[in-house]
């Protein structure tokens, strides 16, 4: 499992680093005085390759983000005398309580949840 994570993260990052380093070397050679058109073509190609790798890595990062909406209030394994809360805004569950013990009252006020009520910043 560790080698899979390394391959998924380190290999594309290393490829981007190598292309960027090659780009720096090509720019150094192209501006060294001889101004070879092939060196400038290489600079252009390496720039496009670096851009493509960066976009691919960005797409992979955004594609792996969790899609579950944020919850307003989640309490698990809580032991308390009582609790009072309000002004909860959530795209999903407004309030969720699991395996908790309260010896006094719970007071919830002004809970708005569901996809039609996104959280306010």
């Amino acid at each position: 499992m560790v080698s899979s994570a390394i391959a998924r993260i380190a290999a594309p990052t290393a490829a981007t680093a190598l292309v960027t380093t090659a780009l720096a070397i090509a720019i150094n050679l192209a501006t060294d005085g001889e101004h070879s058109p092939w060196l400038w073509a290489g600079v252009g190609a390496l720039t496009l390759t670096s851009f493509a790798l960066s976009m691919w890595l960005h797409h992979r990062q955004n594609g792996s983000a969790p899609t579950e909406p944020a919850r307003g209030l989640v309490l698990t394994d809580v032991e308390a005398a009582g609790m009072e809360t309000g002004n909860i805004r959530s795209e999903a569950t407004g309030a969720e309580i699991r395996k908790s013990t309260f010896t006094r009252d719970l007071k919830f006020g002004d809970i708005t949840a569901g996809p039609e009520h996104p959280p306010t910043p």
Side-chain angles (χ1 to χ4, degrees):
M1 179 156 205
V2 172
S3 63
S4 170
I6 290 173
R8 243 180 341 107
I9 297 168
T13 305
T16 304
L18 287 173
V19 168
T20 305
T21 302
L23 175 60
I25 292 169
I27 290 171
N28 189 24
L29 292 173
T31 58
D32 197 23
E34 294 183 19
H35 305 294
S36 169
W38 288 109
L39 286 173
W40 285 111
V43 167
L46 287 169
T47 300
L48 291 175
T49 304
S50 178
F51 173 76
L53 281 170
S54 296
M55 292 300 291
W56 178 64
L57 286 173
H58 177 73
H59 175 71
R60 280 184 50 174
Q61 178 182 9
N62 288 345
S64 63
T67 58
E68 181 181 338
R71 296 179 184 180
L73 173 68
V74 178
L75 302 173
T76 304
D77 294 324
V78 176
E79 292 186 26
M83 184 181 83
E84 183 174 341
T85 186
N87 227 4
I88 297 173
R89 303 283 183 266
S90 174
E91 293 178 359
T93 305
E96 180 179 329
I97 302 172
R98 297 182 188 180
K99 300 184 205 172
S100 298
T101 305
F102 298 93
T103 58
R104 292 194 346 221
D105 293 340
L106 299 177
K107 295 180 183 178
F108 295 92
D110 195 20
I111 298 175
T112 308
E116 63 276 356
H117 301 287
T120 54

